[in-house]
Structure formats: structure tokens, C-alpha cells
Amino acid sequence: MKKDRFYAETGTTDELVYKSAIAFAFEYARQDVNIKKIVLLIGTKQNTGWFELLFGKDNVKHLFSGVKNENGPLLKIETKRTYQGGRDSSEIVITCGLDSIDIYEIDDYSSIAAIIVIPWLINGISKWLQTWSPIEFRTGKSYAAVQSNRPNCIVRMAMDDLSTINMSDGRVTHPLDKDRMKTTIRSLHKYEPSLNGSALLKYLVSELGWPIHVADEIERLIDTLQGGKSFKGGEMTGLQNYYKRWAEKCKENQ
């Protein structure tokens, strides 16, 4: 039986992502009269924070029993432990903050006509994404199409190294961390012709979960150098050593 698979490409999950996913599920159900239930699948009964913001705490309690919508399917919260599936192709499941291993366990249920995966972090569902190349439900683009614009391994390794800087308050403020950012971008600009600021910003936010202000600063540094200008701070020499180290890490991970 054909199953439609969707996901949300996000690094900052909030109640608005779930609101959009639920609206998408009801629209999907409106076009398929066989859909009888929309399941919000959570890890445990305690994982209801976003839904309490959306529906209110008292209404969330009712959702565990199921709430019937007029001329629409039942909306029900289930946990990994309680969900057992149902009749053939009669359900839409929205997974909420679950990782690939949990999603694989229910993905092949015959009762699921469509699955919408909302990750806590995009890295947590990478294996499932690579297996099925689902559709981003808000943009209509497949995961494979999105990946075609993904930074290459060397750029990703550089960003992994840079992820150790302090950005806990949503910005980079320490001078040494700022210098590391500038040195990294100088090295990539000099030796990596594929460097793309906008694609990198998207990767940093959606896959690594970086704060948007920090990712935006990275993009601005790239745009500055690619525009023929420069900036103060960071190392100016020995940049090839950084690039070689990232390239070696990529070879080790092949």
C-alpha cells in the first residue's frame, strides 16, 4: 500500500510548526474520505508542552481520549507505548520530536496513509530522511532536492569544528570566538570554491540548530569576502592548514 511521507525541515521546533502540520493533515484528510484519525505521536505523556500552548492544558487531556472534529477525522494524542495502529490506510500520524529509530518502528504500519515527521533536531531523523526522501510539507520539495544544495563535506566539517564556540545566548560575543569564525570563513573562502552563504545559513539553522543571528553573521562574512571586501579580526596566514585538516576528516569518514 502506498504511503505518503512528509517532514518539517526545522532546527527550531515550536508550536507553530505543529499547528501547520495539523492543518496540513486535516487538509490531506479532507481529500481522502478513508482517513478516520489523525494521531499526534509523542514519546511519553509528559511531552505535551507545545500542544498545551496550542490547545490549552485542559484540552490536551481530552486529546488523549480523542476529539472528534465536525465532518473530519478524530484528533488523538498517542505515545510510543500506546500506539498500535488501526485499519488499513485510515490514519495520518504526526510524529513529534521522535528520532529515526522510533519512526522506523511505526513507518510500515498498514494503517498509516501518511506520516508527517516533526523532528526535535533534523539530525535526529537523518537516517529516515535518507531512506525515504520525504516531502517538506510546507515547501513541497523532496529531501533529495533540498540535499542538492547542502554544503559539501569539507564545509560541514568546518562548521562542526566551529559549533564549539559559545553561542548560548543566541549570539557570539567573545572576541576569541569571533576570531575563530572569521578565520574559518577566510580559509573556506580561499580554498573552497563551492562556498555558498545562503545555503550554509540554511544548513546551520535547520540541521545544526544554530541561532539565526549567528548563522546570519556567518553568511555576512562570506558575502563580504565574495564581494571583494574584507573584515578585521581572525588569522590571515596558515589558512591552508585548517582546510587540510577538514579535508582529512572527510577522508576518514568515507
Side-chain angles (χ1 to χ4, degrees):
M1 184 69 68
K2 179 180 179 294
K3 189 190 308 293
D4 289 327
R5 295 176 174 87
F6 305 93
Y7 78 108
E9 185 181 350
T10 178
T12 53
T13 301
D14 57 30
E15 71 274 16
L16 297 181
V17 177
Y18 288 114
K19 183 178 181 180
S20 297
I22 292 168
F24 180 84
F26 273 105
E27 177 59 25
Y28 185 105
R30 191 180 68 81
Q31 300 178 43
D32 185 345
V33 296
N34 295 315
I35 302 298
K36 305 302 180 185
K37 185 194 298 184
I38 296 173
V39 175
L40 302 172
L41 187 62
I42 59 179
T44 69
K45 282 189 173 182
Q46 286 70 46
N47 303 139
T48 58
W50 296 128
F51 301 122
E52 290 176 6
L53 289 174
L54 275 178
F55 303 116
K57 196 168 186 178
D58 290 338
N59 289 327
V60 166
K61 293 179 182 178
H62 295 305
L63 283 170
F64 277 102
S65 300
V67 175
K68 186 71 171 70
N69 289 266
E70 185 177 357
N71 300 320
L74 185 78
L75 181 64
K76 191 173 190 292
I77 292 178
E78 297 265 13
T79 69
K80 291 189 298 181
R81 186 176 63 83
T82 63
Y83 182 62
Q84 301 294 326
R87 299 176 61 184
D88 284 352
S89 298
S90 63
E91 298 179 342
I92 299 172
V93 172
I94 302 174
T95 69
C96 310
L98 304 185
D99 288 343
S100 288
I101 190 169
D102 296 318
I103 299 167
Y104 278 131
E105 289 184 7
I106 58 98
D107 186 272
D108 62 350
Y109 281 20
S110 62
S111 60
I112 300 176
I115 184 169
I116 306 169
V117 173
I118 312 297
W120 181 248
L121 288 175
I122 202 76
N123 284 349
I125 62 169
S126 59
K127 290 184 178 179
W128 182 80
L129 291 172
Q130 291 163 11
T131 300
W132 294 110
S133 190
I135 302 297
E136 214 290 341
F137 75 90
R138 294 164 298 184
T139 66
K141 294 182 179 179
S142 71
Y143 177 70
V146 171
Q147 287 299 96
S148 66
N149 292 321
R150 194 175 188 234
N152 68 19
C153 180
I154 291 175
V155 177
R156 297 199 306 273
M157 285 296 176
M159 294 304 105
D160 283 347
D161 279 357
L162 204 53
S163 291
T164 59
I165 64 176
N166 184 4
M167 52 183 103
S168 57
D169 62 352
R171 298 179 186 275
V172 176
T173 57
H174 197 285
L176 292 179
D177 287 337
K178 283 186 170 291
D179 281 347
R180 280 187 61 193
M181 288 175 60
K182 292 173 180 178
T183 299
T184 297
I185 297 307
R186 276 205 178 94
S187 177
L188 290 174
H189 172 70
K190 187 171 183 179
Y191 296 105
E192 184 49 59
S194 71
L195 188 63
N196 181 296
S198 60
L200 183 53
L201 180 146
K202 188 175 183 181
Y203 169 77
L204 292 174
V205 173
S206 65
E207 295 200 38
L208 298 189
W210 280 32
I212 184 61
H213 292 295
V214 182
D216 183 65
E217 188 171 354
I218 290 288
E219 183 182 26
R220 284 189 281 108
L221 290 173
I222 293 170
D223 289 346
T224 296
L225 294 179
Q226 291 181 339
K229 298 179 181 179
S230 188
F231 44 73
K232 294 181 180 179
E235 298 175 25
M236 303 288 288
T237 60
L239 299 176
Q240 71 275 15
N241 295 326
Y242 293 99
Y243 188 82
K244 287 179 180 178
R245 186 174 75 243
W246 301 324
E248 287 171 0
K249 285 185 178 180
C250 286
K251 288 182 180 179
E252 291 171 1
N253 290 335
Q254 285 181 348

